[in-house]
Amino acid sequence: MAIEQTLAMIKPDATARDLTGKILARIEEEGFKIVAMKRLRLSKLQAEAFYAVHRERPFFGDLTEFMSSGPIVAICMEREEAIVKWREVMGATNPENAAEGTLRKLYALDVEKNSCHGSDAPETAAVEKAFFFSGIEML
Ligand code: IDP
Ligand code: MG
């Protein structure tokens, strides 16, 4: 099976509660190799650009406020079937629906402040990786 890359984020609710180390440890325990990583605070405009596909959704304003409210950690990482596997490890978007042991079940505060992000398809992974990292940073 081919190695695939995905883009993960540790969201502001999780960096604020000092969960960065726990989430990074889980990433490695689940067999992902970290390829590139940076911690930064998104501006509102940058958060709006990242979540542009959700522009028409009712939660877009709140979501981009939240995502620009504190530091995030962006991670490009790889393993076999990385995209689907990372979404499994994160669990459902709403922690109320997330399976036992998933990151969102463990750490999310609510459907918005749900601690982590993961790309949902190869096409979005490519766009999201390029949003944070240049080609030479992802070798
Ligand atoms: P995902 O992160 O599981 O892929 P998406 O549907 O792509 O979920 O939504 C992106 C992000 O928007 C979610 O992770 C969450 O932070 C936020 N979000 C999604 N649905 C809601 C909602 O119904 N209310 C508030 N925020 C939401
Ligand atoms: Mg999504």
Side-chain angles (χ1 to χ4, degrees), residues 9-15 51 66-67 71-72 114-117:
M9 278 192 285
I10 302 173
K11 292 185 176 181
D13 67 287
T15 61
Y51 281 112
F66 160 59
M67 288 301 296
I72 60 105
N114 59 3
S115 303
C116 44
H117 167 84

Side-chain angles (χ1 to χ4, degrees), residues 51 54 87 117-120 128:
Y51 281 112
H54 292 311
R87 292 191 66 89
H117 167 84
S119 308
D120 62 6
E128 292 177 0

